[in-house]
Each structure stands twice: as C-alpha cells, then as structure tokens.
Amino acid sequence: MPHKRLVHKLHAHGITGKINMWVKDWLSDREQRVVLNGSSSGWCRVTSGVPQGSVLGPLLFVIYINDIDNSVISRVLKFADDTKMFRVVSSQVEVDILREDLKNLFQWSQEWLMLFNLDKCKVIHFGRNNPNAVYSLGGVTLEAIDVERDLGILLQKDLKVSNQCTKVVKTANRVLGMIYRTFTSRTQDIVLKLYKSLVRPHLEYAIQAWRPHLQRDMNAIEKIQRRATRMIVSLRDLPYEVRLSRLKLTTLETRRLRGDLIEAFKIMKGLVDVKSSDLFTLSNNSLRGHSLKLFKSVYNLDCGKFVFTNRVVNEWNLLTEEIISCSTVNTFKNKVDHHLRFSRGFI
C-alpha cells in the first residue's frame, strides 16, 4: 500500500483532520535494512506498507482494497489478501462480462499499485454445461485447474470431497503418531485432552462446507477417533461404542449432524447475519410437526443433495415444537442433545 495513495483514500472516506495527519505521521519517516550473518545493508526509506503486527495495519488494508469491486459486475469475495470472483456462465454474453470484470480488476490493481501475483491466479470451472472459456488477467492466460486449496479446503471442480477427506485423515494420523511417540502416559485424562485439542480440530475444520456423505469417507474419518480412543490403556480392549460412552463422546457423524442443526437454528432465528429466506423455504405442509418445517428440494447430483441447506432439512423437520421454540442457542443445544441421545445414539 503506497502511503500517499493510502492517505488519499482515507481522505476520500471522510477520515480527515487530526486523525488523517496522525496516520500520515505514523507511516512517515520509516527506514529499514537487511541484516544477514552480521552484515547489514544500507538503510532505505519505506514508502509503502504498514508495520506488521499492528492493530491499525489490517484496518488500513481493508480501507485500501475496499473499492476493488466497484467496477465489477460479477460477485467478488475478499478475505485478507485473497480475492475470488465468480458468476454463472451459460452464454457468450456472460463469458464476455466475466472477461471484462477481470480486465477492470487488473486495471484497479495497476492504478493503486496493488498488483496480483499472476502465477498464483487460477480459474476453475463448475458444472456440466460450463463452456470452459479461456480467461486472462493482465494479458496472462489463467491456468484452468481441477482442484484448488482455498482457506485450507481442497475445492474440486466436481465438488466432491474425497480429496479433502484424504488430506485431513493423513494430517490427523500424523498428529496421533506424534502423540503416541511423545507421551508415555496414556491415561484417559491426558489422551482425551490431547485428542480434543490437537486431533479433532483437523477433522472438523469448516466441516459444514465439506461434510462427507460417502460411507468410505465417513469411515476413514471415524477411524481416527477409533484409533485415538484405543490409545487409552484402560479402555483399549472395550468395544468402540463402550469407549465413547465412558469418555462421554459421540461419533463424529453425530457431531456433524448436531453442528448442522445448531447452524440451522441460528439462521432460522435470525441470530446470524444471513437471511433465512435466502437459504431455506418454509414447507406448506403444517399438519404435522413443528411450525418451522422446511421444504426439501429435489436434486439429481450429490453436490445438490448433500449441500448444507438440503441435507439438514430432514433432521430439522424431525425436531419437536418444544426444541425449535427455544430462545437461546444453549437451550437449543441441550434439547437437541437429548433428542439425538435417543434417535442417533448421542452420548
């Protein structure tokens, strides 16, 4: 972020007067050098960027890139220094719109000296009817790929999650192996804490976005928890279900279901910044069940059948009026736990 352009943007956002001058002074008269093996380079002035680790730095960065999509018609998602642009492409007109948006995006980066790393820019095509057009950015043709890692999740062009399942299973197994080699004491208290803090987060990171539905993938993930509970010496020879009961755990699939229901509750009750009408449709059949029953759409492809907004419908509709009428998330969790204890073996 060039300092002069940053100060200009602050002024355009109405940040003037003493605050503007304070930020300008905070960025001005900074120098830096490189030190390697006792040898140092000469000092050079710093005319762009903000000090790392500062509280103000990320805020200034957000202000600087906030207008990156002003001249773009397609939807743009921004997260830190990642930018994703997407749209439905079903005709040549829409292909041309996307190409023009890429052109405008690159023009913005040149005007504000915030250049893209073109080697890291890729395009991924979704859908059977996608024309798989060729796109370019700054005169460089973007490489079409089949899978891309996005915020730690492997996203495939066919929207399957097997690669992601394989990745998290390998990572979790490596962590379990490290625990096995490092800790000689394998009491229930120690192993359970290590599993919950170091292993299970890998298996559940962003799970609502890539929740597996194929039995082989579900079994591969569940096998990790089986292995972890078997590491406890006092429980090693007991059946898996008994080990879970003793540890007050549940199967990972049940935890995923519980997470879906909690998220659906937050959306339906307006506890998150998402309109329920954008994701769900209320069912017209109110003869049975509770007052917030949802309509389930019919899809031919698995990516539609098992998306969050569709897979949660059946389980949500099975809840009682007493459960969905809860006023707080914690109350809902307690009642859902009681419900799952009998319907799915939730411990």
Side-chain angles (χ1 to χ4, degrees), residues 15-207:
I15 303 175
T16 58
K18 292 183 178 180
I19 296 180
N20 189 287
M21 291 300 298
W22 183 88
V23 173
K24 184 177 180 180
D25 290 341
W26 181 61
L27 296 173
S28 301
D29 298 327
R30 290 184 176 271
E31 295 183 338
Q32 66 182 13
R33 65 176 179 173
V34 177
V35 178
L36 179 63
N37 295 329
S39 301
S40 59
S41 66
W43 290 97
C44 65
R45 294 182 61 83
V46 178
T47 60
S48 64
V50 294
Q52 293 189 17
S54 63
V55 176
L56 187 58
L59 178 60
L60 294 177
F61 179 77
V62 170
I63 293 174
Y64 196 85
I65 68 167
N66 191 52
D67 63 346
I68 190 173
D69 55 351
N70 280 2
S71 59
V72 173
I73 299 176
S74 305
R75 292 193 61 182
V76 174
L77 298 178
K78 294 170 284 187
F79 183 84
D81 60 348
D82 269 352
T83 303
K84 292 178 283 290
M85 185 166 65
F86 63 97
R87 68 174 295 110
V88 175
V89 177
S90 58
S91 65
Q92 185 59 43
V93 173
E94 290 172 328
V95 170
D96 293 337
I97 292 175
L98 188 53
R99 287 172 173 167
E100 184 66 21
D101 286 341
L102 286 169
K103 179 181 177 181
N104 292 335
L105 204 65
F106 184 76
Q107 184 176 349
W108 179 95
S109 71
Q110 287 185 308
E111 291 177 354
W112 293 101
L113 301 182
M114 184 69 70
L115 301 179
F116 290 101
N117 186 338
L118 299 181
D119 292 333
K120 292 184 178 180
C121 295
K122 313 291 182 182
V123 59
I124 185 167
H125 303 284
F126 298 104
R128 295 179 177 178
N129 298 322
N130 194 306
N132 293 341
V134 176
Y135 302 96
S136 61
L137 187 64
V140 177
T141 301
L142 298 180
E143 178 187 358
I145 56 176
D146 295 334
V147 59
E148 175 69 6
R149 180 172 179 171
D150 183 29
L151 302 180
I153 305 299
L154 293 180
L155 186 65
Q156 298 177 224
K157 64 179 299 183
D158 56 8
L159 296 179
K160 294 181 179 180
V161 298
S162 294
N163 286 348
Q164 174 66 16
C165 291
T166 301
K167 180 177 78 75
V168 299
V169 166
K170 287 182 178 179
T171 301
N173 267 322
R174 283 198 298 268
V175 177
L176 272 181
M178 179 272 296
I179 293 173
Y180 184 84
R181 293 187 300 271
T182 306
F183 293 86
T184 56
S185 176
R186 301 192 187 102
T187 62
Q188 175 175 322
D189 183 58
I190 291 177
V191 174
L192 190 59
K193 287 181 179 178
L194 290 171
Y195 167 70
K196 287 183 176 180
S197 60
L198 300 179
V199 181
R200 195 166 67 182
H202 289 289
L203 303 175
E204 296 183 336
Y205 169 71
I207 190 63

